């Protein structure tokens, strides 16, 4: 996998209450591209952060229709990847260059 594709697969970390709870179990949550596959996500995390990935689970969240003052609007859809790291490994987002 080339470096350009790595940066297109992983869009950034997903920070939420649930992602901090699963962080205690050795999982990290990322926002990923809509066309990213599990093997691509695994390779991108391993190459970018120098960690060993045990498993990858992908979740697709559909965008909701919401009513606004100016009519109907739609929230964006989101694809998240729950990446389980090997025992004893961790990703520190503040330390990455």
């Amino acid at each position: 996998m080339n470096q350009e594709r790595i940066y297109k697969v992983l869009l950034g970390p997903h920070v939420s209450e649930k992602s901090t709870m699963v962080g205690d179990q050795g999982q990290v949550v990322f926002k990923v591209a809509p066309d990213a596959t599990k093997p691509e996500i695994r390779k991108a995390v391993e190459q970018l952060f120098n960690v060993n990935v045990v498993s990858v689970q992908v979740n697709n969240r559909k965008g909701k229709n919401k009513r606004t003052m100016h009519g109907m609007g739609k929230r964006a859809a989101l694809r998240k990847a729950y990446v389980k790291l090997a025992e004893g490994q961790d990703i520190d987002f503040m330390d990455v260059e």
Side-chain angles (χ1 to χ4, degrees):
M1 177 183 288
N2 60 4
Q3 286 296 110
E4 187 176 321
R5 181 64 181 158
I6 289 174
Y7 293 114
K8 289 183 180 179
V9 169
L10 297 178
L11 302 179
H14 182 73
V15 180
S16 67
E17 190 172 343
K18 184 176 179 181
S19 66
T20 55
M21 287 175 31
V22 298
D24 296 336
Q25 301 169 0
Q27 288 185 337
V28 183
V29 184
F30 290 100
K31 295 177 190 172
V32 294
D35 61 340
T37 62
K38 288 182 182 184
E40 284 181 334
I41 295 167
R42 169 184 235 128
K43 288 179 187 175
V45 172
E46 287 177 346
Q47 289 181 6
L48 195 60
F49 298 106
N50 296 324
V51 294
N52 293 329
V53 175
V54 175
S55 66
V56 177
Q57 295 176 335
V58 178
N59 182 355
N60 294 316
R61 186 182 75 190
K62 293 184 180 180
K64 292 182 179 179
N65 291 323
K66 289 292 185 179
R67 185 173 310 198
T68 65
M69 183 176 18
H70 303 291
M72 293 298 288
K74 183 169 179 152
R75 288 187 183 169
L78 178 66
R79 185 173 169 111
K80 298 185 287 187
Y82 290 85
V83 178
K84 184 167 180 69
L85 303 177
E87 189 70 29
Q89 294 190 341
D90 191 22
I91 295 176
D92 185 17
F93 292 109
M94 303 306 275
D95 191 35
V96 176
E97 298 174 358

